[in-house]
């Protein structure tokens, strides 16, 4: 079981975890790009930003589990952006430390020029960097000197996702107004729409007293998150899923006062059933009635579909697979190409695959042998990391 990434749908400085059965998904959130039809947003981005620095406590259900430090400064080329996040995460009763750092170099319009991202935990040390030229992002992953390269073409210039609140402020939204952006995730090479809305002004209580603030919401894949920004343009609170909140504090407060224990994300993210599932391995189809489901939540795709309040999940069967031919094998080739997190062209992975399969095996037999080897040899336990194939192979 690996920790992957929740794209920074939102939080400046946040790196939050959602547990879905056997897979953790954690945001990496390196890019956002404006919708191609939103010229006013691009024009607003041209306004100059003042230098900003913010320290935030990361609190889960009243217990401090970490902090974030975010800084943006003007430079001769535009802006520099640095964000450091440290958290102690409790997963299945095991508390593990994790540290994330993002360095971004931005153009005067805040579009991305280059970035460096790193994630360190007790076992894994992952690093990713990227360079933007025109509308092409070149991503380099792996250790220095042995990096793999991936190029991604976009329809618009990319922006740093961590600056989404600055984008909202520059666009000067009025109460009730909203803008839709597209969040781009290099880990899955996909884009998803995210809508940011200015809801209203309200008074909120802080450690230093009541403060008037603008309340913003962000809707991403049916999940809503919130932020409150004061009249100086500073984020004073952010509220997201799994009982996690960010609160503005001093640097001294951010670096001290950690809780000795925190809530287990496994328990928080789990949904209890009202009955036991008998002989689950014999199931061919699972139907679950869901209530209070947001209409924008993405539940359809591949082996599952959602209709009239019922989520249906069907087990895949190799027996029903179409016969192999040269055309079908060629059609699969794009799905086998290397990516920054699935390094299928790396010598270590190629050598391991060659020890598992035989050249004479059919494609279906090869796939089944690989699945069975992974099931037998990769330990199933929570690990704080991005789910990249090479580290998983080396650490088992």
């Amino acid at each position: 079981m690996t920790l992957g990434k929740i794209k920074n749908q939102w939080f400046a400085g946040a790196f939050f975890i959602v547990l879905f059965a056997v897979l953790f998904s954690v945001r990496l959130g390196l890019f956002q790009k404006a919708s191609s039809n939103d010229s006013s947003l691009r024009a607003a981005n041209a306004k100059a930003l003042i230098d900003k620095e913010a320290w935030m406590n990361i609190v889960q259900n009243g217990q401090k589990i970490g902090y974030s430090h975010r800084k943006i400064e003007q430079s001769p080329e535009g802006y520099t952006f640095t964000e450091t996040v440290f958290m102690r995460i409790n997963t299945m009763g095991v508390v593990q430390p994790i540290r994330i750092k993002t360095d971004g170099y931005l153009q005067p319009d805040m579009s991305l020029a280059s970035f460096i991202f790193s994630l360190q935990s007790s076992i894994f040390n992952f690093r990713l960097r990227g360079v933007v030229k025109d509308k092409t992002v070149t991503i380099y992953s792996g250790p220095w000197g042995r990096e793999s390269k991936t190029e991604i073409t976009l329809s618009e210039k990319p922006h740093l996702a961590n600056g989404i609140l600055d984008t909202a402020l520059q666009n000067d939204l009025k109460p009730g107004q909203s803008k839709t952006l597209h969040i781009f995730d290099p880990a899955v090479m996909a884009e998803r729409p995210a809508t940011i809305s200015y809801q209203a002004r309200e008074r909120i209580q802080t450690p230093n007293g009541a403060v008037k603030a603008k309340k913003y919401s962000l809707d991403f894949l049916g999940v809503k998150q919130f932020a409150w920004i004061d009249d100086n343009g500073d984020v004073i609170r952010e509220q997201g899923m799994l009982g996690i909140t960010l609160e503005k504090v001093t640097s001294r407060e951010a670096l001290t006062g950690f809780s000795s224990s925190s809530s287990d994300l496994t328990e928080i993210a789990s949904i209890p059933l009202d009955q036991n599932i008998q002989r689950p391995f014999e199931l061919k189809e699972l139907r679950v009635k869901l209530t209070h489901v947001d209409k924008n939540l993405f539940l359809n795709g591949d082996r599952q579909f959602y209709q009239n309040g019922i989520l249906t999940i069907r087990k895949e069967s190799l027996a029903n697979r179409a016969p192999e031919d040269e055309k079908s094998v060629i059609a699969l080739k794009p799905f086998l190409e290397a990516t920054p997190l699935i390094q299928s062209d790396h010598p270590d992975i190629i050598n391991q695959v060659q020890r598992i399969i035989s050249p004479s095996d059919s494609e279906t037999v090869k796939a089944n042998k690989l699945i069975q080897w992974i099931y037998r040899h990769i330990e199933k336990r929570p690990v704080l990391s991005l789910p990249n194939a090479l580290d998983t192979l080396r650490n088992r």
Side-chain angles (χ1 to χ4, degrees):
M1 192 172 350
T2 59
L3 249 182
K5 107 171 183 257
I6 291 179
K7 301 107 189 127
N8 172 26
Q9 303 125 0
W10 180 254
F11 293 105
F15 186 85
F16 298 129
I17 301 173
V18 174
L19 173 63
F20 294 105
V22 296
L23 179 67
F24 282 109
S25 179
V26 181
R27 73 99 162 155
L28 173 61
L30 294 174
F31 301 107
Q32 85 185 20
K33 78 178 183 65
S35 302
S36 58
N37 61 353
D38 194 351
S39 59
S40 64
L41 183 59
R42 292 192 294 272
N45 278 344
K47 298 178 183 177
L49 282 178
I50 60 174
D51 294 352
K52 289 184 179 181
E53 182 175 13
W55 291 86
M56 308 283 282
N57 274 343
I58 302 176
V59 180
Q60 180 191 47
N61 294 334
Q63 298 175 311
K64 180 176 177 179
I65 63 171
Y67 71 87
S68 74
H69 178 214
R70 181 175 183 266
K71 192 174 184 178
I72 185 167
E73 297 178 308
Q74 294 188 35
S75 70
E77 294 78 23
Y79 299 94
T80 60
F81 175 93
T82 302
E83 179 182 80
T84 301
V85 178
F86 174 80
M87 290 193 296
R88 292 174 180 167
I89 301 297
N90 182 347
T91 52
M92 297 185 179
V94 179
V95 179
Q96 303 177 62
I98 186 169
R99 187 179 300 274
I100 310 102
K101 185 176 182 182
T102 304
D103 292 304
Y105 303 89
L106 315 179
Q107 303 286 2
D109 64 352
M110 290 193 72
S111 63
L112 190 60
S114 62
F115 71 89
I116 301 174
F117 171 87
S118 63
L119 181 153
Q120 292 179 309
S121 66
S122 55
I123 298 178
F124 290 92
N125 186 357
F126 183 81
R127 180 180 172 279
L128 198 71
R129 67 184 181 95
V131 178
V132 179
K133 185 177 181 181
D134 298 325
K135 295 179 183 178
T136 299
V137 181
T138 304
I139 296 177
Y140 301 87
S141 60
W144 287 104
R146 293 187 290 121
E147 293 177 313
S148 62
K149 183 174 77 170
T150 303
E151 290 189 348
I152 305 165
T153 301
L154 303 175
S155 58
E156 297 287 340
K157 293 188 295 184
H159 288 69
L160 196 65
N162 312 58
I164 189 170
L165 291 177
D166 293 316
T167 302
L169 288 175
Q170 288 180 327
N171 202 44
D172 194 25
L173 295 176
K174 306 301 181 190
Q177 289 185 335
S178 62
K179 290 290 181 182
T180 298
L181 311 173
H182 281 79
I183 304 297
F184 176 75
D185 176 7
V188 297
M189 312 301 173
E191 299 173 67
R192 295 288 187 269
T195 300
I196 183 170
S197 304
Y198 175 20
Q199 295 196 334
R201 283 181 63 86
E202 63 182 35
R203 295 179 67 88
I204 66 170
Q205 196 64 36
T206 72
N208 298 320
V211 176
K212 286 187 176 181
K214 296 179 179 180
K215 182 180 180 181
Y216 289 86
S217 69
L218 184 94
D219 193 321
F220 183 77
L221 294 180
V223 178
K224 279 196 175 181
Q225 304 180 64
F226 303 92
W228 288 262
I229 303 175
D230 65 16
D231 292 337
N232 296 322
D234 295 329
V235 180
I236 55 178
R237 181 180 297 166
E238 301 180 23
Q239 180 180 311
M241 60 188 74
L242 302 182
I244 295 180
T245 301
L246 272 74
E247 300 172 346
K248 183 182 177 181
V249 293
T250 65
S251 59
R252 183 174 181 177
E253 291 171 323
L255 296 171
T256 58
F258 288 86
S259 299
S260 58
S261 63
S262 61
S263 302
D264 193 323
L265 291 188
T266 311
E267 296 180 0
I268 295 175
S270 299
I271 301 175
L273 296 177
D274 59 0
Q275 59 182 290
N276 292 327
I277 299 178
Q278 303 296 328
R279 299 186 297 277
F281 289 103
E282 298 178 13
L283 289 180
K284 294 183 180 180
E285 181 177 290
L286 179 66
R287 303 180 73 210
V288 183
K289 183 178 181 180
L290 304 178
T291 57
H292 306 293
V293 177
D294 190 290
K295 63 180 181 180
N296 296 316
L297 188 62
F298 182 77
L299 291 174
N300 292 300
D302 296 328
R303 59 184 177 179
Q304 73 177 43
F305 62 92
Y306 179 71
Q307 186 175 18
N308 299 327
I310 303 296
L311 177 66
T312 302
I313 306 171
R314 290 175 177 160
K315 187 176 181 179
E316 297 167 320
S317 173
L318 290 176
N320 298 329
R321 189 180 184 278
E324 294 175 9
D325 54 30
E326 184 177 354
K327 185 177 180 180
S328 64
V329 172
I330 293 175
L332 288 175
K333 284 184 182 279
F335 299 98
L336 304 179
E337 294 178 355
T339 69
L341 299 181
I342 306 179
Q343 307 94 329
S344 57
D345 58 352
H346 194 279
D348 289 359
I349 292 180
I350 293 174
N351 291 337
Q352 183 63 60
V353 168
Q354 291 175 343
R355 289 193 289 268
I356 298 171
I357 66 174
S358 300
S360 59
D361 291 335
S362 68
E363 301 303 310
T364 301
V365 170
K366 290 177 182 177
N368 194 50
K369 283 185 175 181
L370 292 173
I371 291 170
Q372 294 302 319
W373 185 91
I374 291 170
Y375 180 78
R376 291 192 302 268
H377 293 88
I378 303 300
E379 185 179 352
K380 288 80 176 173
R381 66 182 178 91
V383 174
L384 297 179
S385 174
L386 298 182
N388 77 91
L390 190 57
D391 280 348
T392 301
L393 173 63
R394 289 172 174 172
N395 291 282
R396 299 296 174 92

